[in-house]
Amino acid sequence: MSTAPRLTALDAVHRALGATMTDFAGWDMPLRYGSERDEHIAVRTKAGLFDLSHMGEITVTGPEAVDFLNFSLVGNIGSVGVGRARYTMICDADGGILDDLIVYRLGETEYMVVANASNAQTVLDELTGRSGAFDAEVRDDRDAYALLAVQGPESPGILKSLTDADLDGLKYYAGLPGTVAGVPALIARTGYTGEDGFELFVAPGDAEKLWNALMEAGEPVGLVPAGLSCRDTLRLEAGMPLYGHELTAGLTPFDAGLGRVVKFEKTSRSDDFVGRAALAAAAERAETAPPRKLVGLIAEGRRIPRAGFPVVADGEVIGEVTSGAPSPTLGKPIAMAYVDAAHAAPGTEGVGVDIRGTHEPYEVVALPFYKRQK
């Protein structure tokens, strides 16, 4: 039996705007409203408004919430101050990445874990299963929130016109409660585009009011609705990993070049955490025998690489593309790929991508492809 995709609180808005919809992780989501290239460029130069209500919010509360999260996740959540957020991961006992997450500390003993839509149920089940030895409660809050994101250089000005919250004092990877256009919201300065921007967690019943207020406030400076398609090219240009592509259960954070998120010493009652032994071994392997490295590839021609395409050098397969697309900012096809360490240095010559039997030349570059001017 097929299950109908879930609808966000903004579904009627997307359809009224003529969005092309797609089934993504069990949700009916806007892929694009018109030209995905135009939406991409608007976020880079002006601003875009995204519906991210498919993301999975999980609230963790209780006297031992921090000890529980330190045990369950690879990061040191104990060092996150109230009002701040941290990028981290949840791994299995073998060190494989189950998901990458953002954890917000909302209060002394209250945290919100935000999981990717495709892994939200897995993360919820894992956290619930790991909570038994701790005085902490894991609560599924996916239905309690709609999530809107306004991203781009004009986003601070747009939001300032609708709130008296201290946006100037809100640092990157921080959040504060406030009111936006009369709507109570958790205002977070995070994002997945490489631009400055904000994510607004609100009650689903308030989502349409807030969307309309943001669109009206942003119209004079070029704000446009933006779909998942341009979100993918934006994050690719910014070198940000996507679960299922750069991150999988078959990779540890060290294999993915993200070993920095693993903290073996923690601010909690114990330094033990799920996957610790396997991750310590992975860290040692990465020192002695570097695994394949995640690099950027820029096409010399016009053919577009896709996930799964082999990366080649001297007739041998040296890696695999994880994500690829045309880059509206660079004007060329780009890709992220895991390649052998011997071919990972920027400027390495003779590297190509096997695109349907033809070895197309590519330049190896350091990530990210794009970095905004501060």
Side-chain angles (χ1 to χ4, degrees), residues 58 96 110 120 208 280 311 321:
I58 301 164
E110 182 179 6
E208 188 168 338
V311 181
V321 172

Side-chain angles (χ1 to χ4, degrees), residues 44-369:
R44 284 276 178 260
T45 60
K46 299 172 185 175
L49 181 59
F50 297 85
D51 178 9
L52 305 180
S53 301
H54 59 314
M55 301 294 281
E57 296 87 4
I58 301 164
T59 301
V60 177
T61 58
E64 294 184 337
V66 67
D67 292 331
F68 163 63
L69 288 171
N70 271 345
F71 171 76
S72 299
L73 310 179
V74 302
N76 182 12
I77 308 305
S79 63
V80 180
V82 175
R84 299 306 303 268
R86 178 151 301 161
Y87 176 79
T88 187
M89 296 179 182
I90 183 169
C91 292
D92 61 23
D94 295 327
I97 303 167
L98 297 176
D99 201 14
D100 59 335
L101 313 163
I102 296 179
V103 178
Y104 296 90
R105 188 174 183 183
L106 304 181
E108 286 298 325
T109 59
E110 182 179 6
Y111 297 80
M112 181 168 67
V113 178
V114 180
N116 287 296
S118 57
N119 296 328
Q121 189 62 49
T122 297
V123 174
L124 177 65
D125 291 345
E126 285 290 329
L127 289 177
T128 302
R130 297 176 186 187
S131 65
F134 297 89
D135 187 0
E137 178 190 354
V138 177
R139 187 173 71 236
D140 181 2
D141 271 349
R142 285 176 288 179
D143 291 336
Y145 292 102
L147 177 56
L148 283 65
V150 56
Q151 296 278 305
E154 297 288 352
S155 59
I158 294 169
L159 204 56
K160 282 180 183 179
S161 72
L162 297 173
T163 183
D164 58 3
D166 180 18
L167 299 185
D168 290 335
L170 186 63
K171 298 179 180 179
Y172 188 51
Y173 266 71
L176 82 168
T179 301
V180 183
V183 171
L186 172 64
I187 306 168
R189 198 165 205 157
T190 50
Y192 194 53
T193 63
E195 298 297 337
D196 191 11
F198 303 86
E199 295 187 331
L200 307 171
F201 296 85
V202 300
D206 290 330
E208 188 168 338
K209 176 183 177 182
L210 181 56
W211 176 282
N212 291 335
L214 287 164
M215 287 301 300
E216 182 178 353
E219 183 178 10
V221 293
L223 175 71
V224 302
L228 292 182
S229 187
C230 84
R231 183 171 162 85
D232 190 49
T233 53
L234 289 160
R235 70 91 194 169
L236 177 55
E237 287 184 351
M240 294 178 171
L242 175 64
Y243 195 89
H245 290 255
E246 289 72 41
L247 307 176
T248 70
L251 295 172
T252 72
F254 295 95
D255 297 324
L258 291 167
R260 64 182 181 275
V261 307
V262 180
K263 304 301 180 186
F264 291 106
E265 295 181 4
K266 304 211 178 192
T267 311
S268 58
R269 71 184 188 189
S270 169
D271 287 339
D272 189 28
F273 59 93
V274 176
R276 180 188 174 92
L279 289 169
E284 186 173 344
R285 286 196 305 271
E287 287 290 330
T288 57
R292 284 183 168 180
K293 293 187 176 181
L294 187 65
V295 301
L297 300 174
I298 299 179
E300 295 183 16
R302 308 304 302 175
R303 298 187 72 186
I304 301 167
R306 299 298 184 189
F309 284 12
V311 181
V312 295
D314 300 321
E316 300 290 330
V317 175
I318 60 161
E320 183 175 298
V321 172
T322 55
S323 297
S327 166
T329 303
L330 276 64
K332 298 178 180 180
I334 60 173
M336 286 197 283
Y338 282 111
V339 302
D340 292 345
H343 295 87
T348 300
E349 296 182 352
V351 173
V353 175
D354 186 337
I355 302 180
R356 299 180 179 86
T358 302
H359 292 185
E360 299 286 338
Y362 274 74
E363 178 187 0
V364 179
V365 300
L367 293 170
F369 300 97

